Amino acid sequence: MVVSHFLKWIDTARVSERAAAASALARAYVNSDLPFEDRCAAEAALTLLLDDASSKVRQALAEALSMSHHAPPQVISALAADQPEVAATVLARSPLLTDADLVERVASGQKATQKLIANRPVVSMSLAAAIAEIGEPEACAALVANSGAEIASLSFRRMAERHGHLPLVREALIADQRLPADCRHMLLVKLGETLKSSPLVLAMMGAARADRVMRDACVKASVTLIEGTRMEEHAALIEHLRLRGDLTASFIIRTIAHGKVDFFGSTLVALAQQSEQRVTALLAGGHDVALQALFRSAGLAPATHAIILRALKIWREVANGRRVAGVQEVSWLMLKELGGQSAEGDLAGLVKSIHLDALRENARGHALAIAAA
């Protein structure tokens, strides 16, 4: 009877009155224990209100029903497809929308719609994958910032590939602790490519020098990146570097000079196709002959073996507590293995550059410590 009067009344009521009544009816439907007949009548009335000419009435419905598990599904579905200001509340909150519903909205929606869905309190892995694959940059950035989103490694990679050149997405990805190491390297490279093509950088350095400087900077940053990479991520990062052509002998030498022995071991496992247990045992205490055989099977040139062995022995002593040493001392001893400061050639040049970088870094740290004292 009450619903019957309501349906007759709404034909003559003002918009503000219809909106208030729609909200009251919707809240009564989801919060009250109505008799079956009254519940059916109320559901029919709520469905009829979807045809109201005023978006304010439909928006009032959306706000009242958006968080309920007991809202009429046909009403929720219609509201989710309504104009943006009506659909927004439902898309952002409703637990009745399935992943299939939300993926469809992501595919057909505008930036604002995608961002609302990416910001939902809970975003499943499949929905996150859809946003990563087809979402606009704003939606991807919102997804990464959403602690309630379950994001697969592949989805992180797709966002890095699609939008990693944009600061909005790149910064959000880098700030996320879940980001796989190979994605971090990809973003590092994209940043370098963006910088080297900057008109200011090109005007100051020229294309050739800018390319060389940025490439060197990316290599050094990649070595630093290894510090924050978990052991279980080493294989993915190594494969990423290999496919890009960045897993070079010079990069490998940098890693061992900087004491990244675990990563060096993972690299040997990948390149030499040896078991992790065998490689670990050889690096921990293997003789030179066995290690050189391992290096050869990994494709490392014979000329590199002596300096790698020298560095490895020092890092062994450091790990065993028999010595205190850092990159500066290790790189100097590697250089001595090649003949000292007078040594020439590409390999000597590489080790000299590592040593000079270590000298500069240590001097900078010393100066800052003095200034802070």
Side-chain angles (χ1 to χ4, degrees):
M1 184 66 73
V2 172
V3 173
S4 174
H5 286 304
F6 172 80
L7 293 174
K8 293 175 182 177
W9 169 78
I10 59 173
D11 288 334
T12 57
R14 295 191 298 270
V15 170
S16 60
E17 294 173 335
R18 298 202 308 273
S23 178
L25 179 62
R27 293 181 194 283
Y29 180 89
V30 297
N31 295 326
S32 302
D33 187 16
L34 298 174
F36 178 74
E37 288 187 6
D38 289 347
R39 189 168 187 78
C40 289
E43 183 173 327
L46 291 172
T47 305
L48 184 64
L49 285 170
L50 293 171
D51 298 326
D52 196 291
S54 174
S55 63
K56 291 182 179 179
V57 175
R58 303 194 304 278
Q59 192 167 358
L61 273 183
E63 290 174 357
L65 297 173
S66 61
M67 299 183 70
S68 174
H69 288 270
H70 307 294
Q74 75 277 15
V75 176
I76 291 295
S77 179
L79 291 171
D82 210 313
Q83 60 196 69
E85 61 267 27
V86 176
T89 306
V90 173
L91 290 172
R93 300 177 183 171
S94 179
L96 295 183
L97 293 175
T98 66
D99 279 355
D101 295 329
L102 294 167
V103 168
E104 183 180 348
R105 303 299 176 201
V106 168
S108 61
Q110 301 174 341
K111 290 181 184 178
T113 300
Q114 292 184 347
K115 189 173 179 181
L116 282 168
I117 295 172
N119 273 320
R120 282 174 63 91
V122 176
V123 178
S124 70
M125 191 176 289
S126 59
L127 178 56
I131 296 170
E133 192 64 40
I134 59 177
E136 296 289 338
E138 293 81 0
C140 289
L143 177 69
V144 175
N146 184 355
S147 61
E150 189 178 1
I151 307 174
S153 295
L154 180 60
S155 297
F156 276 117
R157 291 187 184 95
R158 286 299 293 142
M159 288 187 281
E161 289 168 356
R162 294 181 62 234
H163 302 308
H165 60 289
L166 301 173
L168 175 69
V169 180
R170 184 173 63 238
E171 290 170 9
L173 286 169
I174 290 174
D176 196 313
Q177 297 297 319
R178 300 169 294 177
L179 185 69
D182 56 316
C183 295
R184 290 188 185 278
H185 184 265
M186 185 190 303
L187 294 173
L188 186 67
V189 172
K190 284 183 178 289
L191 178 59
E193 290 171 349
T194 300
L195 289 174
K196 78 177 183 183
S197 61
S198 161
L200 177 61
V201 172
L202 289 173
M204 292 177 62
M205 297 184 177
R209 183 164 177 248
D211 183 67
R212 185 174 66 256
V213 168
M214 292 305 168
R215 189 167 58 249
D216 289 346
C218 283
V219 169
K220 293 172 185 175
S222 298
V223 174
T224 303
L225 174 64
I226 295 169
E227 292 178 5
T229 303
R230 299 188 301 272
M231 278 286 292
E232 55 268 28
E233 291 188 72
H234 282 176
L237 177 57
I238 289 164
E239 182 63 13
H240 172 74
L241 292 168
R242 189 184 65 79
L243 292 172
R244 280 190 46 83
D246 291 337
L247 194 63
T248 60
S250 62
F251 180 77
I252 293 171
I253 289 169
R254 279 187 183 275
T255 63
I256 192 64
H258 281 80
K260 316 300 183 189
V261 179
D262 288 340
F263 185 82
F264 176 63
S266 297
T267 304
L268 293 176
V269 169
L271 296 179
Q273 297 295 300
Q274 300 279 344
S275 71
E276 184 178 342
Q277 292 81 359
R278 173 172 167 74
V279 171
T280 301
L282 286 174
L283 292 180
H287 296 299
D288 289 0
V289 174
L291 284 166
Q292 286 175 319
L294 176 63
F295 299 162
R296 281 195 299 273
S297 64
L300 293 173
T304 66
H305 293 184
I307 61 172
I308 294 175
L309 286 171
R310 188 65 179 269
L312 182 58
K313 289 173 183 176
I314 299 167
W315 291 123
R316 277 180 185 170
E317 292 177 1
V318 171
N320 293 328
R322 296 200 301 267
R323 184 173 192 160
V324 176
V327 181
Q328 180 177 320
E329 182 179 350
V330 172
S331 57
W332 170 246
L333 293 173
M334 291 170 73
L335 187 58
K336 282 185 68 176
E337 195 71 36
L338 295 171
Q341 289 286 7
S342 60
E344 297 180 352
D346 292 342
L347 187 56
L350 169 65
V351 178
K352 282 180 186 177
S353 71
I354 295 171
H355 182 61
L356 290 174
D357 287 341
L359 284 172
R360 281 196 293 269
E361 188 62 30
N362 287 344
R364 185 181 299 114
H366 189 198
L368 291 174
I370 293 172

